[in-house]
Amino acid sequence: MGNGPVGTERVGIELVGTEHDGTELVGRRSERGLLQRALDDARSGAGGSTTVLRGDPGVGKTALLDWVAARAGRDGFTVLRAGGNEAGTGIAFGALYQVLRPLLEHVRALPRRQRAALESALGLCDPAFSDGLMVGASVLALLAEETRRRPALVLVDDLHWVDSSSAAVLVFLRQRIADLPLALVGTSRPISTSSAAGTSPPTGTSRPAGSVLEGRPVHLVDVGALSDHDSRALLRRRHPELAAATARRVLDEAAGNPLALRSCERTWAHSKSAC
C-alpha cells in the first residue's frame, strides 16, 4: 500500500457564509462543502471517509471542526472529539480515551479478548493485555456497533500532538472505515521540512504533521489564509466602528490569519491605534 496522500487539494476561500446552527464562519465555503459531503456520505450509507484539514496555527482549522460538529449534532450523529496537546504526548492512548469516553458504557458488549485489550489500553483495568492490533480491532468494533444506532463523526484536533499509541489506532481506523457510516476529521500543521526529509522530531516536540492520518486513503485539505474580502467582512462584523485607515492597518498586520486578526483587535482596543 502506498504512503502518499490522495485527494490533496488547495481550497480557495470564497464568499462570506453564515450557518444558522450556532456556529458562524466567514468564508470557507469550499471547506464547508467538503465536510458536509463527508457527513452526507456517512448518513446516506455511501461509506466512511477521512479528512485532514492542514494549515498554519490560527488559520481557523478548529473553527471548521466546531462547524462540522454542530452540523453533525443537528443531523443526529454521534459526535466524538479529542484534541492533542503537548503535555499529553507521553500519555499512552490519552487521545483515544477522549474519543471513546462517551462510548465506554458499551465496552462490556465487546467479545472478551477485545474488551480486555481496550480496557487495558484505556487504564480501566490492570495493564496485563497490550496487543496493539487487538486494541485497534476493539476500537473499530466499538465504533461499528455505535454506527448501527446512528452515523458517527470522530474529530481529532492537533494531530501533531496526539500520543503515538492513539495515532497508531487512528491509522488503523483510517484504513478500515470505508464501509462504515463514519466520518473521521482531523487537523494538523503543514508538513515540515524535517518530515519531508524523513527525520524524527526531537523528544518533547510534535511529530511531523504528515505522519498521522495523512496516508491513503485520506482527503487532505490545505486551509489557507482568509482572502482580503473575507478578512474585511470578519473585521466589520466584530468592529463596525473602525475607521477605514485603522481597519486597513489591522488587516495588513493580520495577513488573513483569523487568530492574528483577533490579536490585532485586542491591541487596537487597548491602544485605540493599529497594531
Side-chain angles (χ1 to χ4, degrees):
M1 180 182 296
N3 293 322
V6 294
T8 304
E9 180 174 346
R10 180 70 186 179
V11 175
I13 309 304
E14 300 186 28
L15 300 176
V16 175
T18 302
E19 295 297 326
H20 302 287
D21 57 9
T23 302
E24 296 184 354
L25 287 178
V26 171
R28 307 303 188 198
R29 178 176 291 179
S30 295
E31 290 96 329
R32 288 185 285 124
L34 290 169
L35 293 172
Q36 184 63 59
R37 194 176 311 139
L39 295 182
D40 291 343
D41 286 346
R43 186 174 55 242
S44 68
S49 63
T50 302
T51 303
V52 173
L53 306 173
R54 193 169 58 180
D56 293 327
V59 79
K61 304 182 298 296
T62 300
L64 284 164
L65 292 192
D66 292 341
W67 180 87
V68 74
R71 297 283 291 190
R74 186 200 68 183
D75 292 343
F77 278 65
T78 294
V79 179
L80 307 168
R81 188 164 185 173
N85 62 80
E86 185 174 2
T89 54
I91 301 175
F93 298 109
L96 184 65
Y97 182 86
Q98 293 179 56
V99 169
L100 297 181
R101 185 167 51 186
L103 304 182
L104 292 182
E105 63 184 277
H106 303 303
V107 171
R108 292 183 176 276
L110 294 173
R112 183 182 59 82
R113 293 187 69 237
Q114 289 186 346
R115 174 185 170 185
L118 188 55
E119 288 184 339
S120 177
L122 299 180
L124 303 178
C125 66
D126 293 336
F129 198 101
S130 58
D131 185 332
L133 185 62
M134 182 62 72
V135 172
S138 303
V139 175
L140 182 63
L142 188 62
L143 291 173
E145 184 60 30
E146 178 62 20
T147 61
R148 291 177 183 272
R149 292 182 280 269
R150 61 188 64 85
L153 172 67
V154 176
L155 302 173
V156 185
D157 207 0
D158 289 332
L159 287 165
H160 45 278
W161 289 122
V162 167
D163 63 277
S164 59
S165 301
S166 297
V169 173
L170 292 172
V171 171
F172 180 93
L173 291 176
R174 94 162 181 236
Q175 297 167 341
R176 293 167 173 84
I177 63 172
D179 295 329
L180 294 180
L182 187 152
L184 173 58
V185 182
T187 71
S188 77
R189 295 174 184 172
I191 296 176
S192 65
T193 303
S194 63
S195 172
T199 59
S200 298
T203 301
T205 64
S206 63
R207 73 173 51 79
S211 65
V212 181
L213 289 187
E214 295 191 11
R216 298 179 183 272
V218 174
H219 193 97
L220 297 182
V221 180
D222 287 321
V223 182
L226 287 171
S227 68
D228 187 69
H229 176 273
D230 289 337
S231 295
R232 282 188 283 109
L234 180 60
L235 188 60
R236 282 198 306 271
R237 176 181 294 179
R238 295 174 62 90
H239 292 287
E241 75 281 5
L242 273 184
T246 302
R248 183 69 265 166
R249 289 195 294 271
V250 169
L251 292 170
D252 289 344
E253 182 72 19
N257 185 295
L259 183 61
L261 189 62
R262 288 196 294 272
S263 177
C264 289
E265 291 170 6
R266 287 192 295 268
T267 302
W268 168 83
H270 288 302
S271 66
K272 299 301 183 181
S273 62
C275 8

